[in-house]
Amino acid sequence: MAAQIIDGKTIAQQVRAEWKERADALKARGITPGLAVIIVGEDPASKVYVANKVKACAELGLHSEHVVMSADTAEAALLAKIAELNSDSKIHGILVQLPVPKHINSSKVLEAISPDKDVDGFHPMNVGALATGNMRFAPCTPYGAMILLEKCGVPIEGKHAVVVGRSNIVGKPMALMLLQHNATVTICTSKTVDLAKYTRDADILVVATGKARMITGDMIKPGAAVIDVGINRLPDGKLCGDVDFDSAKEVAGWITPVPGGVGPMTITMLVANTVRAAERATR
Ligand code: NDP
């Protein structure tokens, strides 16, 4: 039987509506959640991401500030801007669009953001909070993937979840969240020997490698939930995931398409984290 296609766009709209209610409740108390997005340099893809983030805030009636800094901005100037935003009461969430230019130390930048305003969830304190089961701000992409699983009623507790990829922004936090939901978790990397042995045993398979269509239907357990985080540009300009959708959908129980699966959830969870930051700051 063909898989249920997980409609990320529709679920993202539902989740945004839920968080809009929470934002409206804050606004009724005179508090408008505010997000500051800092971009350093002219990377075209980053500019698109930042524009979409600012737009999503506007849709929910959030305050947003878009700070554009030139590619030759000194690290000290960026840190000074972050310090200013850390003490700005109109701003509840701060995000520095990655990657930053090479002369800037990204770890130093992420650590400069107040953990209370760290809506990307990359500050070591928030990473630690997630690792110790006290999640405050989870990184937006894996957080969105978890919400997709929950909204689709995919059983997690006691299931074997396999995460392919161990990046700090997707794979590792995804694995921690699945563990927090009582899945038995395996993490695979480029060094894993016989990847298919693990993926074929997965009740939940999350793939975040950046390798176009590397997971094929024969690597998937019948009925599994397949979450494809990858976004790859093919030579013909079309987008595809890390999973070969056509063969995988014949085997899986649930599957996210690319585009239209995990992607729409990422910005939604950023907005959610901003509203949560405002709630935490004002309770
Ligand atoms: P990274 O390049 O940081 O990490 C990729 C991970 O995949 C690494 O851990 C790497 O292993 C692993 N890997 C690579 N090749 C293989 C392989 N053949 N077998 C097993 N594991 C492998 O990528 P990100 O986590 O940042 O992103 C992953 C994908 O998700 C990309 O396509 C990206 O565009 C997409 N993405 C989508 C987002 C969205 O909003 N939907 C947001 C963020 C990312 P090792 O550690 O051993 O090198």
Side-chain angles (χ1 to χ4, degrees):
M1 206 178 74
Q4 180 186 322
I5 313 297
I6 299 178
D7 181 351
K9 273 192 197 160
T10 301
I11 296 174
Q13 276 168 0
Q14 289 165 6
V15 175
R16 281 187 198 198
E18 289 163 19
W19 283 92
K20 184 170 186 317
E21 277 183 25
R22 289 171 69 159
D24 288 347
L26 282 169
K27 285 166 83 176
R29 290 168 45 208
I31 303 146
T32 301
L35 174 70
V37 184
I38 306 176
I39 181 167
V40 187
E42 292 288 325
D43 179 50
S46 293
K47 278 169 122 174
V48 173
Y49 296 142
V50 168
N52 287 338
K53 287 167 184 174
V54 171
K55 189 168 149 240
C57 284
E59 274 169 24
L60 266 76
L62 270 52
H63 169 69
S64 67
E65 291 181 20
H66 182 180
V67 181
V68 182
M69 303 180 90
S70 63
D72 61 358
T73 298
E75 184 180 277
L78 175 58
L79 296 178
K81 185 68 202 173
I82 292 171
E84 185 191 315
L85 292 165
N86 278 343
S87 51
D88 183 339
S89 61
K90 294 191 302 304
I91 296 299
H92 304 95
I94 302 169
L95 177 158
V96 177
Q97 184 66 42
L98 298 176
V100 286
K102 287 197 170 48
H103 66 279
I104 296 176
N105 179 336
S106 59
S107 301
K108 223 167 157 182
V109 168
L110 297 178
E111 287 172 33
I113 296 172
S114 162
D116 293 325
K117 298 191 176 188
D118 170 40
V119 283
D120 250 345
F122 295 158
H123 191 287
M125 271 181 72
N126 288 323
V127 174
L130 180 62
T132 51
N134 301 302
M135 183 178 116
R136 291 194 302 204
F137 299 113
C140 299
T141 298
Y143 183 20
M146 282 305 299
I147 301 283
L148 288 180
L149 290 170
E150 285 173 24
K151 292 280 179 190
C152 292
V154 174
I156 302 177
E157 184 163 316
K159 299 296 178 186
H160 185 197
V162 174
V163 180
V164 187
R166 57 172 156 181
S167 71
N168 289 336
I169 63 169
V170 187
K172 278 185 205 155
M174 185 77 218
L176 287 170
M177 277 184 263
L178 287 161
L179 192 61
Q180 185 65 22
H181 284 73
N182 295 321
T184 300
V185 182
T186 301
I187 304 177
C188 298
T189 73
S190 66
K191 306 292 183 285
T192 297
V193 177
D194 195 359
L195 178 66
K197 179 176 87 177
Y198 300 95
T199 61
R200 278 192 203 113
D201 191 54
D203 301 303
I204 298 168
L205 178 61
V206 181
V207 190
T209 61
K211 299 282 182 295
R213 295 176 176 156
M214 66 166 282
I215 302 290
T216 45
D218 60 321
M219 298 169 77
I220 293 170
K221 182 176 180 177
V226 178
I227 302 291
D228 187 356
V229 181
I231 303 177
N232 307 288
R233 181 80 60 188
L234 294 168
D236 65 4
K238 290 191 180 142
L239 292 180
C240 79
D242 296 347
V243 175
D244 178 45
F245 185 78
D246 289 340
S247 62
K249 77 174 189 320
E250 300 303 324
V251 187
W254 296 264
I255 187 167
T256 57
V258 178
V262 176
M265 294 300 288
T266 297
I267 291 184
T268 300
M269 301 331 292
L270 172 67
V271 175
N273 276 347
T274 303
V275 176
R276 178 178 283 130
E279 287 174 345
R280 286 170 54 89
T282 56
R283 66 183 175 208

